[in-house]
Amino acid sequence: MRGGPALGFLWSMGTSADTGFGKTRLIRQMRDRINNDLGRAVLEATGLKAERIVPVAAAYTNLKSGVAMGLFPVLHAAVADLGVAHRGQPSVLDKARKMVIERIAAQESIDEDDVTKDAIINDLRRVRLDTAPAGSPLRPELLDGFAAGGVDMQEAIARASDAMKLRAGIAYLDFALTALKAAGIERLFLFVDQLEDLANNRTLTKAKRDREVGRIRDLQEEEPYASQLRMVLTFHSTAAAALADMWVMHRLPSFEAVPANDSAVVVLRGITNEDDGAELLRVYLDASRVDDVDDDLTPFQADAVSELIAQSQGRVGILLSQAHRVLDAGARAGLTTITASTVADC
């Protein structure tokens, strides 16, 4: 967040499993926190001085996006995510459009209602030439959709065929980065989930997998991506083993979860002790509890927490799913407390 590595990695590591640790929930929540105020609160929390804080945005996407496997459909899905309103907030692209209109109105000394669609489109074209002089022109339907805003913008993005996403998904990222830059939003944090699908998809030949890894490298080196884009990839041992050779060949930053990479790597290891497990359950229960209770872990007993941790191997997502199942079974049986034996019997 403070100008560190352009490529980061969110690992999950368990004793015998490496999925179910909450990576997807975490990066979606981070996207929402960043977009809530265009990164101000998150950047302040890093200790960044106020004068160095600039607007940033975030998008979530994953390797299951689209029917065709590849980075370009993933980029299209990320731009579509920027056009969606999350948690009651306007979409990032709607915020950007408003900021562009405000700037044009101030520069021209006119009312915001008098800013025309042509003025918005021409502004984005100018920014595109400034940031990527040799780049391809922005797609007209995306410019028209952005100028209109709202549903028109979402439809312009969604209109892309599967073939278009696979062949020219990068054009949608070009548009998004230009729109954000025109609004004064300096960086886009792109959270890419389920990287293991790139490693595990048997319909993807080694040559195609190598091409997609090479495209990740291109985004780290070529402008305007190198300046404006920061990527965070979810990782675990399966993906690492399948992609290691190609990663090295394309000279991408190391994804190893070692101390030397602490600035670029975050590791989720799950719940490893009863105190953390109990705190997780308290937060989970508090969100749905109707009546006040003396013990906010009620109806779970301490031994039930230990059993849930053991059965789930500390994986947060699995633990909460099991807790929900046990609560449902306990309610049907009329139980007032849930013990380790209750968990074991479910």
Side-chain angles (χ1 to χ4, degrees):
M1 292 299 296
R2 300 176 65 182
L7 192 60
F9 307 94
L10 178 62
W11 274 81
S12 57
M13 289 184 178
T15 54
S16 60
D18 49 20
T19 60
F21 286 83
K23 298 191 300 295
T24 298
R25 177 65 63 89
L26 177 61
I27 57 180
R28 283 178 170 168
Q29 184 184 61
M30 197 64 188
R31 171 204 60 193
D32 294 342
R33 287 182 61 190
I34 290 172
N35 291 340
N36 181 57
D37 59 359
L38 297 179
R40 173 163 290 276
V42 173
L43 290 171
E44 285 178 348
T46 69
L48 199 63
K49 293 181 179 179
E51 61 270 20
R52 294 185 58 195
I53 293 176
V54 296
V56 298
Y60 169 86
T61 186
N62 63 69
L63 263 295
K64 292 185 182 297
S65 301
V67 296
M69 176 66 65
L71 185 64
F72 284 1
V74 168
L75 297 179
H76 173 273
V79 177
D81 187 62
L82 290 172
V84 175
H86 296 286
R87 296 182 179 270
Q89 289 283 322
S91 75
V92 169
L93 288 177
D94 275 327
K95 288 182 178 181
R97 177 178 178 273
K98 185 176 185 299
M99 294 164 74
V100 169
I101 290 173
E102 289 172 349
R103 179 176 53 76
I104 294 174
Q107 289 175 341
E108 301 295 329
S109 299
I110 59 177
D111 291 337
E112 292 178 15
D113 290 341
D114 293 331
V115 176
T116 65
K117 292 181 180 179
D118 284 343
I120 298 172
I121 290 171
N122 289 335
D123 192 72
L124 262 64
R125 285 174 172 158
R126 175 189 59 78
V127 172
R128 174 63 173 168
L129 288 172
D130 288 344
T131 57
S136 301
L138 299 178
R139 297 185 65 85
E141 72 273 18
L142 296 177
L143 289 170
D144 289 340
F146 182 79
V151 174
D152 288 341
M153 181 164 48
Q154 289 180 292
E155 289 182 345
I157 298 168
R159 207 173 293 137
S161 66
D162 290 331
M164 176 63 71
K165 295 172 189 176
L166 186 63
R167 184 177 69 252
I170 192 73
Y172 291 81
L173 179 62
D174 291 339
F175 153 72
L177 291 180
T178 301
L180 297 181
K181 187 71 173 181
I185 300 172
E186 294 297 325
R187 287 196 177 92
L188 173 65
F189 288 84
L190 182 57
F191 297 108
V192 183
D193 199 6
Q194 296 171 331
L195 190 70
E196 63 269 19
D197 281 18
L198 179 60
N200 298 335
N201 191 315
R202 296 186 179 182
T203 67
L204 202 63
T205 65
K206 183 176 180 181
K208 289 181 178 178
R209 190 179 294 117
D210 179 70
R211 179 195 64 193
E212 300 307 322
V213 173
R215 285 174 169 172
I216 296 175
R217 177 69 188 184
D218 292 341
L219 293 177
Q220 309 304 304
E221 294 186 336
E222 298 177 5
E223 294 293 350
Y225 319 113
S227 297
Q228 289 185 253
L229 190 66
R230 298 291 182 267
M231 298 177 69
V232 176
L233 311 177
T234 61
F235 241 80
H236 54 57
S237 57
T238 303
L243 297 174
D245 290 344
M246 296 174 191
W247 217 260
V248 173
M249 183 175 66
H250 287 283
R251 306 184 315 281
L252 282 161
S254 170
F255 52 65
E256 291 185 274
V258 295
N261 287 341
D262 280 352
S263 64
V265 174
V266 172
V267 180
L268 302 182
R269 300 187 185 276
I271 302 298
T272 57
N273 60 72
E274 290 183 12
D275 288 343
D276 288 344
E279 182 60 26
L280 175 67
L281 284 175
R282 288 188 181 99
V283 174
Y284 172 70
L285 293 167
D286 184 63
S288 302
R289 199 182 296 281
V290 176
D291 300 320
D292 293 334
V293 292
D294 293 332
D295 181 358
D296 50 9
L297 192 59
T298 302
F300 289 95
Q301 301 296 298
D303 62 345
V305 177
S306 299
E307 183 66 21
L308 283 169
I309 293 173
Q311 287 195 12
S312 66
Q313 299 177 342
R315 293 176 289 170
V316 173
I318 307 301
L319 190 154
L320 291 178
S321 294
Q322 290 177 323
H324 177 81
R325 185 173 67 251
V326 171
L327 279 170
D328 187 57
R332 289 198 306 270
L335 301 178
T336 58
T337 59
I338 292 174
T339 65
S341 61
T342 312
V343 176
D345 290 342
C346 287

